[in-house]
Amino acid sequence: MVIYILRRLLALVPVVLIMSIVVFLIIYLIPGDPARVMLGDGADESTIQELRQQMGLNYPLLEQYGRWIGNAVQGDLGRSFFLQQPVSTAIREHLAPTLSLALFAQFIAVLIAIPLGVRAAVNRGGLADKTLNAYSLLGISVPGFLLSLFFVLVFAVRLKWFPVSGFAPLHEGIGSFLKFMFLPALSIGIVMSSLTARIVKASMLEVLHEGFVKTALSKGLRQNTIIYKHVLRNALIPILTVVGGSFGTLVAGAAVIETIFNIPGLGQMLVHAVERRDYAVIQGMVLFIAIVYVAVNLAVDLLYAVVDPRIRLQ
Amino acid sequence: MTDSTVQEGKQQARRTSLIHSQPVRRFMANRTAVIGGVLMLLLIAASLLSPWLARFEPQAVDVVSRLKPPSVKHWFGTDNLGRDVFSRTLNGTKISIQVGLTVALVSSAAGLVIGLYSAYYRRLDQVLMRIMDGIFAFPAVLLAMAMMAALGPNVSNLMICLSIVFTPAVARIVRSSALVVKEQTYIEAMRALGASRTRILWLHIMPGTLSPLIVQGSFVFAESIIVEAALSFLGAGIPAPMPSLGNLLSEGKQFIYNSWWMTLFPGFALILSVLAMNWFGDGLRDMLDPHARTKRKRSRKGSMEKNTSDNNNEKVSSATQASS
C-alpha cells in the first residue's frame, strides 16, 4: 500500500511541475511591465520600482521561478498589493464559504444521481432511463450559472421563497445557511448530477451482469437489497472517479455562482482580483485550486485501492 | 449525450441498418442530429441576418423606452438603456458562434499536430504530452480566466485563451487514435516501402484520426460557447459594450428584480446554441463511427439479466463524455 501511494505521488510530480510553470508564466502574458499595468498610468516611478521589487521582477526569469515555487512549497503564495495581506491568509479567509457550497452541491448531486442512475440501469428503457436521457442533455447544455439565474428568477424574484443573494456561515445556524445556499448549491448540483447519474447507470449495468447477482436472485434476496447493498457497492469505483473529478471543477465553477449570489468565497475573491489585476492573488489562487484539484483526484485514486484490493497489486 | 439519440423507434433502427454504408444518410436518419444541425443553421442564419431581422441597432440607445417588457415593437423587450434585447441577443449569438467556431478550428488544428507528432515520435511524446497533461489538469474556466486577466479582455485574446485551454483535450484524442493506426499493417508496409515519415504521418495516419477529431471539435465548439459566456459574465471575457451573451446575462442580472426578459431570452439563446452543437456532435459521432452505433443499437434491446455486449460501449461512450 505504501509503495502504491508513493508511486501515485511520484507520477504527479511532472504534472504539478508543469502546472506551476503555467501559473508562473501567466504574468508574462501581460503586454508590457506587470507592475506598471497593475498600478495604472498615474503611478509614480518609485512606487512602480517598489512593486517590481516586491514581485521579484528584477531577478532573472529562472531565479524568479525558483523563488516563487520555493515560497509556494512552504505555503507562502506572495502578498496581495491591494488587500495588503498575504495571499495564503486571504485564501484561508475565503475558503469556508466555497467549501461548504461545494460540499452541499456535491451532496445534492449524489442524492439525485444515485437513485436516478440506479433506476435507469435496472429498468432500461423505462421511465427513469428516459428521464436520465433528457436530464443528461440538460446537464451538458445548460451551464450552472445560467441555471442559477433562472432559479433566481423563479424562486427568489417571483415566488420569493429564497433570498436573491447573500450568505450566512454555517456556524450561525443551519437554517439561514440553507436559506442562502440552497439555490446556488442546487444549480451546481443539478448540472453535476447529470454526469454522475450517467456514470452510475453505466457502472451499474456492468456489475448487474456478474454472476453473484444471479446467485443472489436465485437464493431469493429482495431486489432492493441486491441492487443497493451488493451491486451499487461493486459499482462504486467509476462513480467515485466522477464525484472526485467533478469536485475540482465545482470549486472552479463556484467562481461564477458566487458572483451571482454574492457569496464571499474563493470564486468571488478571484473575480475581484481579476478586476483589480492583482496578479499575486490570481497566481496564488489558481495554483491553490489546481493543487486541490490534483489532490482530490489523488485521494480518489487512493480510495480505489481501499475499496478494491486488486488495484493495489497491479 | 449518446443516450439522447436512443429515442428513435426500432423501425428506424432497422431502416438505418439497411443503408449502413452511406454515412450521410445515416446522419439524416438520426433525428436528433438533424434537428441539431438544422437548429445550428437557423441560429447562424438568424445571427447573420440580424441587421435585417432586427428593427433596431444592437447599440442604439433609446432612453425614453428603457426596461420595457416584450412588445410588438421590441420582441424581447428593452434593457436599462432602452436598447433592443432581440437585436442584442441575435448579435450575442453571432459573437458566441464566431468564438466557438474559431476556438474549435484553432484547437483542432493545434491538437491534430501535437497529437500526431507525439503519437509518432516517442521523445516528443514525453515532452508534449506532459505539457498537455499539465494544462488539462486545470479546470477550464479557471485557466482561461487567469490568462484573460493577464492579456486583457478582448475578443481575439479570448479566442487565444480558449484555444490554449481546449487544445489538450483534442491532442489526447488524436494521439490515442493515431497510436492505434500506427500499429496497423499498412503503416508497416508503407515504412518498408521507404515512404518518408512526413508522408506516412500526414497521408496515412492522419486520415484515421479525423473522425474522432471532428467529433471532439464539435464538443469543443459547444464547450467554448459556455466558457465564453461565463467569462464575459464575470467581466473577464468580451468587454462590456459589445453584446455578447455573457454580457447580456450580466446586465440582466443587475435588473433581475424587474426585467426578467433581459435574462431569459439571452439565456435561451445560449442554451439553444449549445444544445444544437451537442446534438450535432452526437450525430457526427454516429455517422463517423458506425461501429459504436451498431453496438449501441443491439444493446438497446438488452435488459437487466442478459446481454453483456453493452458494457463495453457504455464505457466507451461515458469515457468520451468525460473527456468532452
Side-chain angles (χ1 to χ4, degrees):
Chain A
M1 188 66 192
V2 177
I3 295 172
Y4 177 76
I5 294 177
L6 281 180
R7 215 170 38 205
R8 298 290 328 175
L9 276 174
L10 219 61
L12 278 182
V13 171
V15 174
V16 172
L17 198 70
I18 299 274
M19 287 174 97
S20 71
I21 293 174
V22 170
V23 172
F24 171 73
L25 287 179
I26 281 173
I27 55 166
Y28 283 90
L29 291 174
I30 302 168
D33 181 0
R36 215 172 284 270
V37 172
M38 272 172 82
L39 292 170
D41 290 329
D44 61 286
E45 203 57 33
S46 64
T47 323
I48 292 176
Q49 279 312 319
E50 196 187 319
L51 183 61
R52 282 185 64 88
Q53 194 62 37
Q54 193 190 326
M55 289 170 79
L57 288 171
N58 293 327
Y59 299 106
L61 189 64
L62 263 178
E63 197 184 334
Q64 277 182 42
Y65 174 72
R67 279 165 182 273
W68 181 72
I69 196 71
N71 289 335
V73 169
Q74 296 167 40
D76 177 9
L77 293 169
R79 234 185 120 75
S80 162
F81 194 74
F82 294 92
L83 301 173
Q84 286 300 337
Q85 66 179 145
V87 176
S88 48
T89 316
I91 289 179
R92 214 172 309 129
E93 280 170 10
H94 290 82
L95 192 59
T98 304
L99 208 61
S100 53
L101 174 62
L103 284 172
F104 191 15
Q106 190 68 268
F107 175 72
I108 293 178
V110 171
L111 209 64
I112 300 173
I114 297 241
L116 186 61
V118 168
R119 292 314 318 165
V122 172
N123 192 1
R124 290 207 81 182
L127 183 64
D129 201 8
K130 290 199 175 96
T131 314
L132 178 62
N133 287 337
Y135 189 68
S136 51
L137 195 66
L138 176 113
I140 357 171
S141 303
V142 186
F145 77 96
L146 188 54
L147 197 62
S148 71
L149 282 177
F150 286 169
F151 281 162
V152 168
L153 217 49
V154 176
F155 296 112
V157 174
R158 190 114 311 206
L159 298 172
K160 297 195 169 51
W161 289 353
F162 297 95
V164 172
S165 67
F167 175 71
L170 193 52
H171 56 76
E172 281 175 17
I174 186 102
S176 55
F177 171 79
L178 284 181
K179 198 176 69 187
F180 284 114
M181 285 307 230
F182 186 70
L183 287 186
L186 184 69
S187 38
I188 307 178
I190 284 181
V191 171
M192 233 162 34
S193 67
S194 71
L195 175 66
T196 315
R198 217 168 31 217
I199 304 293
V200 171
K201 177 190 161 193
S203 175
M204 285 290 289
L205 279 175
E206 210 155 309
V207 182
L208 280 171
H209 303 297
E210 302 259 346
F212 74 83
V213 179
K214 227 168 255 167
T215 313
L217 270 177
S218 45
K219 81 173 187 184
L221 273 185
R222 279 178 50 232
Q223 209 195 3
N224 274 344
T225 317
I226 302 175
I227 289 167
Y228 285 97
K229 207 168 160 196
H230 299 285
V231 179
L232 184 60
R233 222 162 148 180
N234 279 286
L236 266 184
I237 285 200
I239 300 173
L240 274 178
T241 316
V242 229
V243 171
S246 61
F247 209 81
T249 328
L250 180 142
V251 172
V256 201
I257 303 281
E258 282 173 8
T259 314
I260 292 174
F261 290 95
N262 202 13
I263 298 167
L266 290 179
Q268 207 186 39
M269 180 179 149
L270 183 62
V271 173
H272 286 321
V274 168
E275 280 164 10
R276 285 194 289 246
R277 306 196 142 213
D278 192 347
Y279 294 111
V281 174
I282 297 173
Q283 283 182 311
M285 294 232 356
V286 173
L287 187 68
F288 174 76
I289 297 178
I291 298 286
V292 170
Y293 187 53
V294 171
V296 170
N297 279 318
L298 175 72
V300 171
D301 269 7
L302 297 182
L303 216 54
Y304 291 169
V306 176
V307 176
D308 188 346
R310 280 171 299 182
I311 291 175
R312 258 176 272 167
L313 300 172
Q314 271 171 17
Chain B
M1 215 162 349
T2 347
D3 287 324
S4 66
T5 56
V6 169
Q7 271 119 5
E8 319 136 307
K10 270 187 194 154
Q11 198 191 353
Q12 184 124 19
R14 213 173 296 130
R15 207 171 62 216
T16 42
S17 64
L18 288 176
I19 49 166
H20 212 244
S21 54
Q22 286 147 305
V24 178
R25 281 167 82 187
R26 196 167 342 118
F27 182 84
M28 296 307 286
N30 186 337
R31 217 181 304 151
T32 33
V34 174
I35 294 174
V38 169
L39 201 59
M40 203 64 223
L41 285 180
L42 279 179
L43 283 170
I44 292 173
S47 61
L48 288 180
L49 294 176
S50 61
W52 293 275
L53 278 176
R55 281 188 288 166
F56 299 89
E57 288 282 310
Q59 306 284 30
V61 175
D62 178 9
V63 193
V64 182
S65 55
R66 59 195 291 272
L67 295 176
K68 287 273 181 301
S71 62
V72 182
K73 194 172 163 211
H74 297 282
W75 291 353
F76 289 180
T78 61
D79 71 0
N80 53 315
L81 295 175
R83 294 172 296 192
D84 185 46
V85 177
F86 178 65
S87 167
R88 288 176 72 74
T89 303
L90 281 187
N91 276 279
T93 313
K94 182 163 96 186
I95 297 172
S96 285
I97 291 175
Q98 275 170 356
V99 171
L101 186 66
T102 316
V103 172
L105 289 176
V106 173
S107 60
S108 295
L112 177 67
V113 174
I114 294 175
L116 274 183
Y117 278 91
S118 53
Y120 201 74
Y121 297 100
R122 247 230 169 160
R123 274 262 169 88
L124 220 54
D125 189 31
Q126 286 300 319
V127 182
L128 285 178
M129 286 327 276
R130 281 301 144 272
I131 298 176
M132 291 295 115
D133 286 347
I135 298 176
F136 194 71
F138 286 102
V141 181
L142 198 66
L143 185 59
M145 204 160 118
M147 286 198 289
M148 283 305 287
L151 285 170
N154 72 49
V155 181
S156 52
N157 283 348
L158 185 68
M159 289 172 175
I160 296 171
C161 288
L162 292 180
S163 302
I164 294 175
V165 169
F166 287 117
T167 297
V170 182
R172 284 179 153 205
I173 299 260
V174 171
R175 176 176 170 270
S176 63
S177 49
L179 281 176
V180 175
V181 180
K182 193 183 147 197
E183 299 305 321
Q184 304 283 327
T185 332
Y186 68 88
I187 299 296
E188 208 176 311
M190 288 304 298
R191 217 173 288 145
L193 280 171
S196 77
R197 284 171 168 183
T198 315
R199 189 184 176 86
I200 295 177
L201 205 54
W202 286 101
L203 283 180
H204 301 278
I205 295 183
M206 194 270 276
T209 67
L210 274 185
S211 34
L213 174 74
I214 292 171
V215 173
Q216 185 66 21
S218 70
F219 293 132
V220 168
F221 195 137
E223 192 68 17
S224 53
I225 290 179
I226 291 182
V227 178
E228 180 273 315
L231 288 178
S232 302
F233 183 83
L234 293 173
I238 294 167
M242 226 172 156
S244 88
L245 289 179
N247 287 339
L248 292 182
L249 288 169
S250 165
E251 288 159 14
K253 163 81 202 340
Q254 292 167 28
F255 298 92
I256 203 164
Y257 268 114
N258 321 309
S259 312
W260 52 268
W261 53 91
M262 280 176 69
T263 298
L264 197 68
F265 294 116
F268 276 140
L270 177 62
I271 296 175
L272 271 186
S273 318
V274 178
L275 199 63
M277 226 33 235
N278 276 331
W279 270 337
F280 186 65
D282 256 3
L284 278 181
R285 173 159 52 209
D286 290 347
M287 177 175 108
L288 296 169
D289 190 0
H291 190 58
R293 186 172 167 80
T294 41
K295 261 163 107 186
R296 199 172 54 238
K297 234 185 296 165
R298 221 186 307 136
S299 75
R300 243 178 260 168
K301 295 165 196 155
S303 62
M304 175 171 164
E305 235 59 45
K306 51 181 178 178
N307 193 344
T308 41
S309 71
D310 58 357
N311 302 333
N312 301 328
N313 78 69
E314 278 289 346
K315 227 191 309 184
V316 167
S317 65
S318 57
T320 36
Q321 296 308 321
S323 67
S324 75

